[in-house]
Amino acid sequence: GVTGGRLAITELAVRGGAAPTANAAIELKDIAAQRAGQPVRLEPIAVHADAGLTGGEGLRVARLELTSGFAQLSASGLASDLRTTFAADLGRLQRELGQVFELGAFELVGAVRGTVALRRAGDTQVDVTVETTAEQVRYAAEGRAFELPRASVTHRGQLVLTDGALTRVTIDECGADLNGEVVARAAGGYDVAGGALKLDAGGTGGDLAFRAGRAQTHGVGDPAPTAGT
């Protein structure tokens, strides 16, 4: 587990008045941990934040950034109209977590990045848009490997609120594109209270053939010919 570290605060300011603001720059560094009795050193994590309250708009985030050696996240906008971007190096993330936790014997590499937009549409609805891409992803374990040069996932829908509580997740359109070889689309919704999921799905491309072909290429064996969607 983690045994030590140093918290460095280079900026921390709160200002009141008609338009109060808050600014912070904080870094957690020299993070020490132990794994199997051996000391390890983790990468630093930095947080920068600039936000304020404005008349008629509420909380506005001018900048919120979290940065580490394996991932970056940033957000900006109003609390009612917030946009977030993220990026991660899966290989570095696995190595970092593997220094502290037992993750098992596997290899994971690749890059993931994307955006998430949340927009309040009245008191009972939050519009959600997600766009994510992954590149050069490779997963290998127990002599088997799967590689995906490129993939993208998009989502457009709403979070439905009742008395401030989430009651339904609506999917107007959710799409996945696996290297152009498999393209899938789905729409529907999830009833949080009842636990009921309803989806209408479709797509193009040889889903089973795609997976079998990649598995065979990377030493999973010689699967029987398959095809379908």
Side-chain angles (χ1 to χ4, degrees):
V2 177
T3 59
R6 185 160 61 94
L7 185 65
I9 301 175
T10 57
E11 181 183 10
L12 184 59
V14 178
R15 301 174 181 87
T21 61
N23 310 91
I26 302 171
E27 185 177 16
L28 182 60
K29 54 187 179 180
D30 300 331
I31 309 170
Q34 279 199 344
R35 172 75 188 280
Q38 299 297 317
V40 296
R41 186 73 65 177
L42 304 180
E43 297 192 41
I45 299 173
V47 177
H48 295 266
D50 298 295
L53 290 173
T54 57
E57 290 185 325
L59 177 64
R60 173 178 289 277
V61 179
R63 179 178 69 155
L64 176 60
E65 295 179 350
L66 187 150
T67 306
S68 70
F70 53 83
Q72 299 82 43
L73 182 146
S74 65
S76 63
L78 294 170
S80 58
D81 190 0
L82 195 65
R83 178 181 174 86
T84 302
T85 64
F86 62 89
D89 182 318
L90 299 179
R92 296 183 69 171
L93 176 61
Q94 183 205 11
R95 289 192 295 272
E96 191 79 353
L97 294 179
Q99 294 190 89
V100 182
F101 305 105
E102 177 56 56
L103 301 180
F106 69 93
E107 175 193 12
L108 180 64
V109 297
V112 177
R113 66 178 183 274
T115 61
V116 179
L118 302 174
R119 183 177 182 275
R120 191 73 181 244
D123 295 332
T124 62
Q125 181 175 304
V126 178
D127 296 333
V128 181
T129 304
V130 180
E131 297 181 356
T132 304
T133 60
E135 295 181 342
Q136 303 303 322
V137 175
R138 172 181 165 84
Y139 173 83
E142 299 179 350
R144 300 183 176 188
F146 178 82
E147 293 186 1
L148 188 61
R150 181 175 176 82
S152 64
V153 175
T154 59
H155 166 83
R156 182 171 54 84
Q158 297 86 34
L159 304 177
V160 180
L161 311 174
T162 302
D163 295 329
L166 179 64
T167 56
R168 181 173 176 80
V169 178
T170 300
I171 303 171
D172 291 336
E173 183 179 28
C174 183
D177 184 333
L178 305 183
N179 205 48
E181 300 174 62
V182 177
V183 178
R185 295 285 184 270
Y190 175 68
D191 186 335
V192 176
L197 175 66
K198 180 180 179 180
L199 288 178
D200 294 321
T204 61
D207 183 14
L208 299 179
F210 166 79
R211 287 181 288 170
R214 290 208 175 274
Q216 187 174 15
T217 300
H218 298 99
V220 181
D222 297 317
T226 54
T229 57

